[in-house]
């Protein structure tokens, strides 16, 4: 009922919940205290009610009113977590770690060389495979805290136990989204000590472009001809284009036009017609690029071929944990909201970057 009054629709809400959706904090506190056998609750002022339920919170941990708040907040933040619009989970791999130690993934065993012919009377050559270290992974804890204060109770500020928890849960997902796109855009040094895009990684186009047949084909070639840590050919299938807002229209035209206009003004078969690449657009790319600057875009390989980036959670839990705290000297109910995650670039071979060009909205220019 509290969650519905706050404007959210939790799963499993029925008529029983609707009966309580019009109750104020004061009404609900009176109901809880009367059911707990507290006499005269209806004649208490709002301040007296608050003092009574606060007292019972600490003396009786199972008291009904704080338990109802906990349940409402849990439903609110789960609803907020599910509804927030993010895209990172469409192109990253979800992983799990059981602790906060640095996990170095040990080493990747190198390939055994080809068998060589041994002439009559010749000797077998000794083979010593070379191993390569993989990237490290580690979790960090992120969180916030919020309070249902004495003033909020008296003012019947329902948003503090509905919209605020939902916004906190959504903020956790948005933070992960920003961090993932930050790694894409800021081109940091990764596990091999080199910048994510460029150099001998061979995953950066020399010149930025918009959505063109030539650019897409060049990126397909770049991602499909990568070699593993030991110089051997590997198979990475192009699977997705990660774009800033504003390029999706051109991409749709390119992939859905049976013919294309050639340089000598004739129609030719479009080799990218219905090529089958998934498309993800996120305004975080536009924001990180900055106004008036070229805006890059990216091609990613299939996750089952090579995991480009991985988001790990503690024991696989991707919904924030929320718990009520007993804070001395605090006039109100206090909740901690926290989540443990870590983001790692696992293999630079799984992505190709096009430095892009400026995106101009002609209607605003």
């Amino acid at each position: 009922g509290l969650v519905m009054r706050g404007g959210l629709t939790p799963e499993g809400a029925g008529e029983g919940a609707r009966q309580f959706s019009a109750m104020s904090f004061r009404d609900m506190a009176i109901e809880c205290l009367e059911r707990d056998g507290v006499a005269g609750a209806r004649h208490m002022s709002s301040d007296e009610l608050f003092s009574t339920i606060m007292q019972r919170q600490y003396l009786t941990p199972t008291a009904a009113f704080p338990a109802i708040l906990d349940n409402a907040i849990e439903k609110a933040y789960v609803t907020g977590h599910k509804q927030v619009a993010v895209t990172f989970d469409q192109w990253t791999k979800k992983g799990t770690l059981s602790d906060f130690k640095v996990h170095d993934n040990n080493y990747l065993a190198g390939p055994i060389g080809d068998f060589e012919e041994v002439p009559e009377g010749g000797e077998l050559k000794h083979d010593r495979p070379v191993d390569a270290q993989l990237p490290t992974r580690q979790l960090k804890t992120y969180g916030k805290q919020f309070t249902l204060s004495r003033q909020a109770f008296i003012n019947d500020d329902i948003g503090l136990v509905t919209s605020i928890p939902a916004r906190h849960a959504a903020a956790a997902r948005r933070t992960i989204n920003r961090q993932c796109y930050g790694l894409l855009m800021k081109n940091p040094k990764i596990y091999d000590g080199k910048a994510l895009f460029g150099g001998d990684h061979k995953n950066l186009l020399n010149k930025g472009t918009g959505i063109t047949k030539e650019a897409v084909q060049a990126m397909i070639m770049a991602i499909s001809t990568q070699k593993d840590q030991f110089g051997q050919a590997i198979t990475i299938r192009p699977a997705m284009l990660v774009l800033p807002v504003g390029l999706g229209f051109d991409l749709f035209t390119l992939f859905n036009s049976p013919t294309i206009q050639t340089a000598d003004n004739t129609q030719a078969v479009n080799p990218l017609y219905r090529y089958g690449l998934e498309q993800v657009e996120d305004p975080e790319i536009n924001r990180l690029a900055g106004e008036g600057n070229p805006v890059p875009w990216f091609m990613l390989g299939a996750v089952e071929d090579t995991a480009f980036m991985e988001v790990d959670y503690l024991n696989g839990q991707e919904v924030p944990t929320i718990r009520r705290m007993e804070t001395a000297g605090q006039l109100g109910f206090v909740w901690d909201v926290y989540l443990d995650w870590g983001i790692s670039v696992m293999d630079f071979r799984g992505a190709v970057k096009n430095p892009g060009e400026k995106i101009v909205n002609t209607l605003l220019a």
Side-chain angles (χ1 to χ4, degrees):
L2 279 174
V3 176
M4 293 174 66
R5 186 183 162 208
L8 301 174
T9 305
E11 293 182 1
E15 287 303 317
R18 297 184 188 280
Q19 294 176 12
F20 292 95
S21 61
M23 295 183 72
S24 66
F25 281 145
R26 175 182 172 82
D27 295 335
M28 201 161 292
I30 291 172
E31 184 84 12
C32 292
L33 290 174
E34 287 183 343
R35 293 190 182 198
D36 284 346
V38 178
R42 291 185 179 275
H43 304 293
M44 294 181 184
S45 67
S46 295
D47 191 25
E48 289 173 326
L49 280 171
F50 180 79
S51 298
T52 303
I53 60 174
M54 281 295 294
Q55 206 172 27
R56 294 182 68 80
Q57 175 199 6
Y58 300 120
L59 298 178
T60 311
T62 57
F65 186 78
I68 289 172
L69 294 182
D70 290 345
N71 188 265
I73 287 170
E74 180 181 357
K75 290 183 181 296
Y77 82 74
V78 168
T79 301
H81 183 270
K82 291 180 178 179
Q83 293 180 350
V84 63
V86 293
T87 62
F88 75 91
D89 50 1
Q90 297 181 45
W91 55 269
T92 60
K93 179 182 178 182
K94 178 185 173 182
T96 181
L97 293 173
S98 59
D99 54 47
F100 294 90
K101 299 175 183 177
V102 176
H103 293 254
D104 60 9
N105 290 330
N106 299 314
Y107 285 79
L108 178 66
I112 299 298
D114 294 340
F115 270 39
E116 299 178 5
E117 180 183 355
V118 181
E120 185 177 356
E123 296 181 357
L124 293 172
K125 294 184 179 180
H126 184 75
D127 188 45
R128 188 184 300 275
V130 179
D131 295 342
Q133 189 173 12
L134 293 175
T136 60
R137 298 154 63 201
Q138 186 179 22
L139 298 175
K140 296 181 180 179
T141 301
Y142 302 82
K144 287 277 189 177
Q145 190 179 79
F146 66 95
T147 303
L148 174 62
S149 66
R150 170 173 168 267
Q151 291 92 335
F153 174 84
I154 294 174
N155 293 338
D156 196 34
D157 191 352
I158 195 70
L160 284 172
V161 293
T162 53
S163 64
I164 296 299
R167 287 165 59 187
H168 276 78
R173 294 265 287 168
R174 283 196 300 268
T175 301
I176 299 174
N177 199 63
R178 290 194 182 101
Q179 290 179 353
C180 289
Y181 280 101
L183 282 174
L184 270 183
M185 296 291 290
K186 295 176 183 178
N187 201 22
K189 290 184 178 180
I190 57 172
Y191 56 89
D192 60 359
K194 301 174 184 178
L196 171 56
F197 295 105
D200 57 6
H201 286 175
K202 298 181 180 179
N203 59 358
L204 176 66
L205 268 60
N206 292 329
K207 181 181 179 182
T209 70
I211 301 292
T212 66
K213 173 179 72 70
E214 293 76 17
V216 173
Q217 289 176 323
M219 295 169 80
I220 291 174
M221 284 292 295
I223 205 169
S224 301
T225 56
Q226 285 280 11
K227 297 179 180 180
D228 67 12
Q229 292 92 331
F230 312 102
Q232 296 193 341
I234 54 177
T235 300
I236 302 178
R237 294 165 293 173
M240 180 177 293
L241 288 170
V242 180
L243 311 171
V245 173
L247 295 186
F249 306 105
D250 294 337
L251 188 68
F252 182 86
T253 301
L254 178 62
F255 284 170
N256 290 278
S257 299
T259 61
I260 54 175
Q261 194 78 16
T262 62
D264 51 0
N265 202 31
T266 59
Q267 294 292 315
V269 173
N270 179 9
L272 295 175
Y273 177 56
R274 295 183 178 177
Y275 191 81
L277 291 177
E278 293 184 44
Q279 173 185 338
V280 173
E281 286 185 86
D282 199 292
E284 195 65 28
I285 297 178
N286 304 68
R287 186 188 71 82
L288 289 169
E291 189 173 352
N293 296 321
V295 187
W297 49 287
F298 308 85
M299 179 178 290
L300 273 60
V303 174
E304 55 268 28
D305 295 336
T306 178
F308 165 58
M309 193 178 296
E310 184 167 322
V311 181
D312 291 303
Y313 301 93
L314 181 63
N315 297 321
Q317 181 177 335
E318 56 182 313
V319 179
T321 297
I322 187 164
R323 65 176 184 177
R324 179 164 30 96
M325 300 296 296
E326 296 183 4
T327 305
Q330 178 73 49
L331 284 176
F333 298 91
V334 181
W335 288 271
D336 291 337
V337 185
Y338 58 90
L339 182 64
D340 310 296
W341 74 76
I343 304 172
S344 306
V345 174
M346 301 302 293
D347 194 343
F348 62 84
R349 299 166 185 83
V352 175
K353 177 180 179 179
N354 186 320
E357 57 186 14
K358 294 180 182 180
I359 298 177
V360 179
N361 187 336
T362 56
L363 294 179
L364 297 178

